[in-house]
Structures are given as structure tokens and as C-alpha cells.
Amino acid sequence: MKKTNKYFRFGLYTSVLFILVLSSVLFLCILADTFSVNIDLTEKKDFSLFSDTKSLLDTLEEPVTFYYLENQSDTDPTITAILESYENYSDKISISYRDPDLYPEFVENFKTPGKNIHRGSVVIFCNNKYVYIDYFSLYEYDTTMQNQQLPVGIIAQQQINSGLARVLGLEQYPVFFLTGHGEKGIEQDLLNQMLLMNYDIKELNLSANGEMPDNNSIIIKLPGNTDFTTGEIEKLSLWIEEGGSFFLLENSGQNKPENLSNFLLYFGIELTDGIIAEQSPGYFIQGNNLLLRPKVNTNEVIKFQPDIIPIIANAGEIKKAPFTPEGMTYIPLLTTSPQAVKITETEILSNTYDLAAAVKTEKGGKLVVFSSDSIIDQKTDNTLAGGGNTAFFLDCLEWLSDSEYKNLIPVIKLQDTNIVPTYLEIILWTIISVFVIPGVFIITGIVIGYKRKGQSRKQTGN
């Protein structure tokens, strides 16, 4: 009978311990849900706030409300997690859920002619100003498929930051695309990324009888089919010398425009003839040694090694001119391996080559020059570079601009958002779940058991 009671007590204690452990886990889950506690276990911390976002939030002085136009129980968990990250970081941010079916008059305030309000959209409200962010603009879509668009990336953080900048009245930084030389257009996806970074996109024709823009702006020249005129070169050179920023993308070839070449030489850059091919493994895409994966040089333009290396196609050599003008600083950005070769009409030369470079003038003028416009080709970026080309292009734009507002946040690819805890995180959670929590209850049980045993001996002695 005593043995039976002993087994019964042991089973009872085990059951109670199991119930206590389970209850504790459930209590922690409820507590985490109540206080919106989120842990980002994705490999690249895809749902955590980026430094540019935190810098923007640190400037908030007035309260900002995120109106999430959805029933709280039916929200997109990805968007909810991102919005809650903002709310948890700043006490100026609050989230309010408004179901369009329950608050039709409220939602009506944000309607514009010809556009519908979609469930799951976000409205940013501050100081009686608002910005509506449509749900479908929170994701990036694959537009290559017919009859349907599949989401392939998350751009919610970029969109929210851009909306915040607008309701806060942050000034847009002007960017001018040159026209008048048969320049190719820029693709809409990249243009959208620039708009999210609060750039004010305009066009500029140097041949027209107009004034040059303010020095606090960027002029971008895409490949064209005609050369600059002498007058255009004079206007552009003077503008850069006085502090303007110029971004040139020029495809490699055997015949360089004469005025453009002289313009670059004036700023200490020489764009040579020929096409670069790689021979060193790891520096090109397998099967095509003209698709280059160059070394990214860290410097004041590119401060950190990127996670994804850009892919440059059909590039030529950029080099420091033999006679660099005084006050000009040459900065190599992308460099080949020493085994790369330059192929011209007459020879093949092996060497290390720069594919992109920057120059800074004494008075603060800046230039960035690429020997291939593939850096802005969205097909190359999406299929080969995985976003590395766009990220590098936007990095260069950030250096060229003097804007205090930055929104340099990469697109979070949906295939990369798997939960991949680090080895240390796995060890930590294993110790907590397997040893710490059960250990606490076991020790508590032992202490209680000894106390009861002591009380039982006292009673027996009495």
C-alpha cells in the first residue's frame, strides 16, 4: 500500500510539474502577444528596423498614427509585424485598426478620384496631414508573368518611411535626368525606388537656354547616341566645380564621344576602349566571363561590404587620368581580379581594371562614372544580381546627395525570409526550454519535498 502511494505521489508531482511548465509557456505566449513582443529570427533580420528607419523615427516630435484599414483579426501578419516594430521603437508611433466595413465614413476621407481604397492599406496621419499607402504597394511583384502578378519582395518599410517623410514635410532632393542626346529611359521599378528615397525626379536639357539647377542636386546622364556640345560641357563642368553632383553611365565601345572624353579627362578620369572579360573563378558568372562579379571597394562612397555583389555586363575600363588636375580625388568603386583581360580591336591585355569610379573636387563637387549601364538594368538585377545592382546604384546616389533624409533599405525577397536562427540562438533556446524552465520547477519541487519531509519527521517525533 505504501509503495502504491509512493508511485501515486510521484505521478501526481510529475503531472503537476508538466501542467505548470505548460501553463508557464502559455502565459509567456499570451504576455508576448499582449505587449506585441516580436523576435526576428530571419537570417538577415528582415523584419527588424533598418538604421535609416531608426534615424527618421528619432527625429519625430509630434505623435503619428498608423491607421491600418483592416479588422485586427484579419491583418497580414508580415505587415502587422513591421508596423509593430515602428510602434515598439518610438513612443510617438501608435497603431489604430479601422475595418472599412465598420468605419466606411472614416475610410471615405482618403478616397481620391479614380482610385479605390483596398483592405490592408495603411494611412499615416500627423498634424492633420495624411499619406495613403495602398496594400498592394507594400510588396514588389513579378511582372513578367502573364495574367497574374506574384509578390516576390517586401517594400513595406521603404513605403512607410517615404510616407512619414511626406507627412513630416521633409524636403525632396532633386535629381535631373539629362535629355537631348537620345538618352535611353530609366525603368519604372528603379524609378519607384528613387521616389521612395524622397528624390524629386525631373528632366534637364542643357542645350536649352535655361539656368543650371542648384548645386544641391544630382544630374544623371544615361547612354545616348549623340555627343555633348562644347557649350554643354562648359556649363556642366562649371556646375560640378562649384559643388554639383554628376552621375554618368556610359557603355563601353571602340569609339568614345570626343567632348565627353575630354570632359572626363578634365576631372581626372579616362574611359578607355575595349571590353573586360574575367578569367578568375568567383569574379564572373559561370558560363559567361563577360558577366562580371567585381570586387566592391570600401571607401567614403561605399562604407560597408554589401551582402550581394553587383553584376556588371559588357563593361570597359575606367582609370585615373595620367595628369589628374590638382584638387581632384580619384576613388575606385568596382575592380576586377588581376587575371582580367581587356579585349580591343588590336590586342588583349591582362591586368586589374576599374569598372566604376568616383571623383571629388576641392569645392565639394562629385562625379560617379560607370563603364556599363547594366547597373540599372532590372532584368540583370533580378535574375543574376538578386538586388545587388539596385542597392549599389542607390548607395552611389546617397553619396552624391547631401540630403539628411535617407531611405536606403533593400527589398526583402520573400524566398529569403525563412526563419534561420543562428547556432548560438539555437543553443540558447535549447538551454532555456530543455534545462532552465524544467530545472526551476524541479528545484522548486525538491525544496517543497524536503520541507514536507522535515515537517513529517517533526510530527513523527512529537
Side-chain angles (χ1 to χ4, degrees):
M1 185 69 178
K2 287 183 179 180
K3 194 172 184 180
T4 303
N5 288 337
K6 182 178 179 182
Y7 286 139
F8 175 76
R9 286 197 303 271
F10 178 77
L12 181 62
Y13 288 153
T14 303
S15 299
V16 170
L17 180 62
F18 174 77
I19 292 171
L20 287 173
V21 172
L22 184 62
S23 301
S24 300
V25 172
L26 291 174
F27 175 73
L28 289 174
C29 291
I30 293 170
L31 201 65
D33 183 64
T34 302
F35 292 98
S36 300
V37 177
N38 296 304
I39 299 174
D40 187 355
L41 294 179
T42 54
E43 185 176 11
K44 298 179 182 178
K45 303 300 178 186
D46 297 320
F47 300 106
S48 301
L49 297 183
F50 286 80
S51 58
D52 286 348
T53 301
K54 293 177 181 179
S55 298
L56 179 61
L57 293 177
D58 289 339
T59 66
L60 293 180
E61 296 179 356
E62 301 294 331
V64 176
T65 302
F66 291 163
Y67 288 107
Y68 197 168
L69 305 183
E70 184 58 277
N71 186 304
Q72 190 167 358
S73 60
D74 297 325
T75 58
D76 182 330
T78 297
I79 305 305
T80 301
I82 292 172
L83 292 176
E84 288 179 348
S85 296
Y86 280 80
E87 186 180 43
N88 293 335
Y89 183 82
S90 173
D91 58 4
K92 300 292 185 182
I93 301 287
S94 61
I95 303 173
S96 179
Y97 297 88
R98 297 295 176 96
D99 187 336
D101 294 336
L102 301 178
Y103 298 93
E105 294 181 1
F106 176 80
V107 173
E108 198 72 25
N109 294 322
F110 309 115
K111 277 193 174 181
T112 55
K115 292 187 177 181
N116 295 322
I117 298 291
H118 295 114
R119 301 184 73 95
S121 301
V122 177
V123 175
I124 301 176
F125 187 86
C126 178
N127 282 338
N128 295 319
K129 293 195 296 184
Y130 76 89
V131 170
Y132 169 79
I133 304 175
D134 192 84
Y135 172 74
F136 294 102
S137 68
L138 299 172
Y139 289 92
E140 185 182 66
Y141 294 86
D142 181 0
T143 58
T144 61
M145 300 186 65
Q146 294 183 349
N147 303 323
Q148 62 175 332
Q149 291 187 348
L150 297 176
V152 293
I154 306 165
I155 54 173
Q157 202 168 150
Q158 297 96 312
Q159 292 280 16
I160 293 168
N161 289 356
S162 179
L164 269 174
R166 280 180 278 163
V167 298
L168 296 174
L170 297 182
E171 188 176 352
Q172 291 183 298
Y173 198 88
V175 173
F176 296 87
F177 282 92
L178 281 186
T179 62
H181 312 91
E183 286 88 355
K184 65 181 291 185
I186 189 166
E187 296 181 52
Q188 190 62 45
D189 287 348
L190 184 56
L191 192 63
N192 291 339
Q193 285 288 315
M194 294 175 66
L195 292 172
L196 288 175
M197 292 181 68
N198 213 37
Y199 289 118
D200 183 18
I201 312 297
K202 302 177 183 179
E203 290 186 349
L204 176 66
N205 191 323
L206 293 178
S207 62
N209 293 323
E211 293 184 358
M212 292 292 288
D214 187 270
N215 288 339
N216 291 322
S217 56
I218 301 170
I219 294 177
I220 298 178
K221 171 71 171 68
L222 301 179
N225 51 33
T226 59
D227 197 1
F228 283 107
T229 66
T230 304
E232 290 174 333
I233 291 296
E234 289 176 354
K235 290 169 68 173
L236 187 58
S237 298
L238 181 61
W239 181 77
I240 295 172
E241 283 184 323
E242 294 300 319
S245 296
F246 184 61
F247 201 146
L248 174 67
L249 296 100
E250 182 65 23
N251 286 326
S252 298
Q254 302 301 327
N255 299 308
K256 294 289 176 291
E258 183 180 357
N259 288 337
L260 176 61
S261 298
N262 291 334
F263 162 78
L264 291 174
L265 286 172
Y266 180 77
F267 288 98
I269 294 178
E270 185 177 351
L271 195 60
T272 68
D273 294 336
I275 299 292
I276 305 298
E278 265 291 0
Q279 300 183 106
S280 179
Y283 278 81
F284 64 94
I285 299 296
Q286 189 172 2
N288 190 339
N289 61 357
L290 296 179
L291 290 173
L292 312 179
R293 185 187 280 116
K295 173 189 174 185
V296 177
N297 299 305
T298 54
N299 43 54
E300 65 178 85
V301 182
I302 308 299
K303 296 182 176 62
F304 305 101
Q305 277 293 331
D307 293 328
I308 305 172
I309 302 299
I311 303 299
I312 310 298
N314 301 317
E317 179 195 11
I318 293 174
K319 66 179 182 180
K320 186 177 180 180
F323 304 101
T324 303
E326 188 177 351
M328 305 287 179
T329 304
Y330 178 89
I331 307 168
L333 300 180
L334 297 174
T335 306
T336 68
S337 74
Q339 286 74 44
V341 296
K342 182 171 68 169
I343 305 168
T344 69
E345 287 184 338
T346 58
E347 57 186 351
I348 298 176
L349 302 171
S350 180
N351 205 340
T352 300
Y353 300 102
D354 293 337
L355 309 178
V359 167
K360 188 168 64 173
T361 71
E362 204 167 24
K363 291 186 178 180
K366 298 175 181 178
L367 290 85
V368 170
V369 181
F370 275 79
S371 63
S372 168
D373 69 339
S374 60
I375 191 72
I376 60 169
D377 180 68
Q378 294 301 283
K379 184 178 180 180
T380 301
D381 193 33
N382 293 330
T383 59
L384 298 174
N389 285 17
T390 296
F392 194 86
F393 173 79
L394 295 177
D395 269 343
C396 293
L397 271 188
E398 183 181 9
W399 178 72
L400 289 170
S401 74
D402 294 318
S403 174
E404 293 182 1
Y405 166 68
K406 307 292 182 185
N407 194 17
L408 196 61
I409 296 171
V411 176
I412 306 302
K413 299 297 181 182
L414 288 176
Q415 74 244 25
D416 297 334
T417 56
N418 298 319
I419 294 177
V420 185
T422 65
Y423 182 68
L424 289 176
E425 287 172 334
I426 293 173
I427 293 175
L428 177 63
W429 287 107
T430 300
I431 292 173
I432 291 173
S433 59
V434 176
F435 298 105
V436 176
I437 295 177
V440 168
F441 288 103
I442 290 172
I443 292 171
T444 303
I446 292 172
V447 171
I448 293 173
Y450 271 110
K451 284 185 177 181
R452 287 184 176 178
K453 192 173 182 180
Q455 290 175 354
S456 177
R457 284 178 178 175
K458 287 181 180 180
Q459 289 175 358
T460 304
N462 292 334

